[in-house]
Amino acid sequence: MSCLLLLLASLLWAGMAWGQQAESQADDIEIAVRKEGATVIVDVGMPVKASLRSAWEVLTDYDHMAEFFPNLDSSKVVEQQGNRLRIEQTGKVAYGPLSFPFESVREIVLTPYSKVHSKAVAGTIKHGEAITRLVSEGSTTRIFYHSESVPNTWVPPGIGPNLIAGRTREQFASLREEILRRANRERPAMAETGETPGKANGNSSAASGTSAGASGDAGRGRAESSEGVK
């Protein structure tokens, strides 16, 4: 019992440290995590100074998510029919010296450029659904995320939500950093061609489920994060 208490205390300290560090780096990201029975509910609100199109292309870039989400080892689209996708992701969540691997298979329904609905169909989560919404506010896009999930492992009522909140903030900060990185890279090219940021061009097929992404074919128009947010 004393070992268990020591472990829980160390996890709480680690969670507070991560949370404080993430808070200082992304204190404008609103995070709310709570438990209702076995269900973990996460709500996020995050502004990013980029166009709706730029935010969408990163949110939907499933084939490259492992490159900018620190908890993902792999991410790929295994099936696509129009705006309906099935994705597989693997990764691990680290709490101090401990590391917990996870697998996720999700069905995605896209509504460009405003909403992504995600449902877990296999993996280490018994049940999980999430909705990501994008709202344009001039030169800023605001991202809203809501998820309800039942993990296969027990989540301690007090410590668990705090740790999840810290990790979620970290994930969304990484997401915003990637959106800004790509948006800043695109602006000089748009200035040369006279194209308006966020304006769909003749080759764009994001409205039918494809997206530009990191390397010209990245993502095929896919969206959403997590505890991660995933």
Coordinates of all heavy atoms in Angstrom, one line a residue, residues 17-29 46-47 70 166-167 169-174 176-177 180:
A17 N 3.8 19.2 -12.6 CA 4.9 19.8 -13.3 C 4.7 20.0 -14.8 O 4.9 21.0 -15.3 CB 6.2 19.0 -13.0
W18 N 4.2 18.9 -15.4 CA 3.9 19.0 -16.8 C 2.8 20.0 -17.1 O 2.8 20.8 -18.0 CB 3.4 17.6 -17.4 CG 4.5 16.7 -17.6 CD1 5.8 16.9 -18.0 CD2 4.5 15.3 -17.3 NE1 6.5 15.8 -18.0 CE2 5.7 14.7 -17.6 CE3 3.5 14.4 -16.9 CZ2 6.0 13.4 -17.5 CZ3 3.8 13.0 -16.8 CH2 5.0 12.6 -17.1
G19 N 1.8 20.0 -16.2 CA 0.7 21.0 -16.4 C 1.1 22.4 -16.3 O 0.7 23.3 -17.0
Q20 N 2.0 22.7 -15.3 CA 2.5 24.0 -15.1 C 3.4 24.5 -16.3 O 3.3 25.6 -16.7 CB 3.3 24.1 -13.8 CG 2.5 24.0 -12.6 CD 3.3 23.8 -11.3 OE1 4.5 23.7 -11.4 NE2 2.6 23.8 -10.2
Q21 N 4.2 23.5 -16.8 CA 5.0 23.9 -18.0 C 4.2 24.2 -19.2 O 4.4 25.1 -19.9 CB 6.0 22.7 -18.2 CG 6.9 23.0 -19.4 CD 7.9 21.9 -19.7 OE1 7.7 20.8 -19.2 NE2 8.8 22.1 -20.6
A22 N 3.2 23.3 -19.4 CA 2.3 23.5 -20.6 C 1.5 24.7 -20.4 O 1.2 25.5 -21.4 CB 1.4 22.3 -20.7
E23 N 1.0 25.0 -19.2 CA 0.2 26.2 -18.9 C 1.0 27.5 -19.3 O 0.5 28.4 -19.9 CB -0.2 26.3 -17.5 CG -1.0 27.4 -17.1 CD -2.4 27.3 -17.6 OE1 -2.9 26.2 -17.8 OE2 -3.1 28.4 -17.8
S24 N 2.3 27.5 -18.9 CA 3.1 28.7 -19.2 C 3.3 28.9 -20.7 O 3.5 30.0 -21.2 CB 4.5 28.6 -18.5 OG 5.2 27.5 -19.0
Q25 N 3.3 27.8 -21.5 CA 3.6 27.8 -22.9 C 2.3 28.0 -23.7 O 2.3 28.5 -24.8 CB 4.3 26.6 -23.4 CG 5.6 26.4 -22.8 CD 6.3 25.1 -23.1 OE1 5.6 24.2 -23.6 NE2 7.5 24.9 -22.8
A26 N 1.1 27.7 -23.1 CA -0.1 27.7 -23.9 C -1.3 28.0 -22.9 O -2.2 27.3 -22.8 CB -0.4 26.4 -24.6
D27 N -1.2 29.2 -22.2 CA -2.2 29.5 -21.2 C -3.5 30.0 -21.8 O -4.4 30.3 -21.1 CB -1.6 30.5 -20.2 CG -1.1 31.8 -20.9 OD1 -1.3 32.0 -22.1 OD2 -0.5 32.6 -20.1
D28 N -3.5 30.2 -23.1 CA -4.8 30.6 -23.8 C -5.6 29.4 -24.3 O -6.6 29.5 -24.9 CB -4.6 31.6 -24.9 CG -3.7 31.0 -26.0 OD1 -3.0 30.0 -25.8 OD2 -3.7 31.6 -27.1
I29 N -5.1 28.2 -24.0 CA -5.8 26.9 -24.4 C -6.7 26.5 -23.2 O -6.2 26.3 -22.1 CB -4.9 25.8 -24.8 CG1 -4.0 26.2 -25.9 CG2 -5.7 24.5 -25.1 CD1 -3.0 25.1 -26.3
M46 N -9.3 26.3 -28.4 CA -8.0 26.9 -28.7 C -8.0 27.8 -29.9 O -8.5 27.4 -30.9 CB -7.0 25.7 -29.0 CG -5.6 26.2 -29.3 SD -4.5 24.8 -29.7 CE -5.0 24.4 -31.4
P47 N -7.5 29.0 -29.7 CA -7.4 29.9 -30.9 C -6.0 29.7 -31.6 O -5.0 29.3 -31.0 CB -7.4 31.3 -30.3 CG -6.8 31.1 -28.9 CD -7.1 29.7 -28.5
P70 N 3.5 14.3 -30.2 CA 4.6 13.6 -29.5 C 4.2 12.2 -28.9 O 5.1 11.4 -28.7 CB 5.0 14.5 -28.3 CG 3.8 15.4 -28.2 CD 3.2 15.6 -29.5
G166 N -3.2 17.9 -18.5 CA -1.9 18.4 -18.8 C -1.4 17.8 -20.1 O -0.8 18.5 -20.9
R167 N -1.7 16.5 -20.4 CA -1.3 15.9 -21.6 C -2.1 16.5 -22.8 O -1.6 16.7 -23.9 CB -1.5 14.4 -21.5 CG -0.4 13.6 -20.9 CD 0.9 14.0 -21.5 NE 1.9 13.0 -21.3 CZ 3.2 13.2 -21.4 NH1 3.6 14.4 -21.8 NH2 4.1 12.3 -21.2
R169 N -3.4 19.5 -23.0 CA -2.8 20.8 -23.3 C -1.5 20.7 -24.2 O -1.3 21.5 -25.1 CB -2.5 21.6 -22.0 CG -2.2 23.0 -22.3 CD -1.9 23.7 -20.9 NE -3.1 23.7 -20.1 CZ -4.1 24.6 -20.2 NH1 -4.1 25.5 -21.1 NH2 -5.1 24.5 -19.4
E170 N -0.7 19.8 -23.8 CA 0.5 19.5 -24.5 C 0.3 19.2 -26.0 O 0.9 19.6 -26.9 CB 1.3 18.4 -23.8 CG 2.7 18.2 -24.4 CD 3.4 17.1 -23.6 OE1 3.1 15.9 -23.8 OE2 4.3 17.4 -22.9
Q171 N -0.7 18.3 -26.2 CA -1.0 17.8 -27.5 C -1.6 19.0 -28.4 O -1.2 19.1 -29.6 CB -2.1 16.7 -27.5 CG -1.6 15.4 -26.8 CD -0.4 14.8 -27.6 OE1 -0.5 14.6 -28.8 NE2 0.6 14.5 -26.8
F172 N -2.5 19.8 -27.8 CA -3.0 20.9 -28.6 C -2.0 22.0 -28.9 O -2.0 22.6 -29.9 CB -4.3 21.4 -27.9 CG -5.5 20.7 -28.3 CD1 -5.9 19.5 -27.7 CD2 -6.3 21.2 -29.3 CE1 -7.0 18.8 -28.0 CE2 -7.5 20.5 -29.7 CZ -7.8 19.3 -29.0
A173 N -1.1 22.2 -27.9 CA 0.0 23.1 -28.2 C 0.9 22.7 -29.4 O 1.3 23.5 -30.2 CB 0.9 23.3 -26.9
S174 N 1.1 21.3 -29.4 CA 1.9 20.8 -30.6 C 1.1 21.0 -31.9 O 1.7 21.3 -32.9 CB 2.2 19.3 -30.3 OG 3.0 19.1 -29.2
R176 N -1.1 23.3 -32.6 CA -1.1 24.7 -33.0 C 0.2 25.1 -33.6 O 0.3 25.8 -34.6 CB -1.4 25.6 -31.8 CG -1.4 27.1 -32.2 CD -2.1 28.0 -31.2 NE -1.5 27.9 -29.8 CZ -2.0 28.5 -28.8 NH1 -3.1 29.2 -28.9 NH2 -1.4 28.5 -27.6
E177 N 1.3 24.6 -33.0 CA 2.6 24.9 -33.5 C 2.8 24.4 -34.9 O 3.4 25.1 -35.8 CB 3.7 24.2 -32.6 CG 5.1 24.5 -33.0 CD 6.1 23.8 -32.1 OE1 5.7 23.4 -31.0 OE2 7.3 23.7 -32.5
L180 N 0.7 26.7 -37.3 CA 1.5 28.0 -37.5 C 2.7 27.8 -38.4 O 3.0 28.6 -39.3 CB 1.9 28.6 -36.2 CG 0.7 29.1 -35.3 CD1 1.2 29.5 -33.9 CD2 -0.1 30.2 -36.0

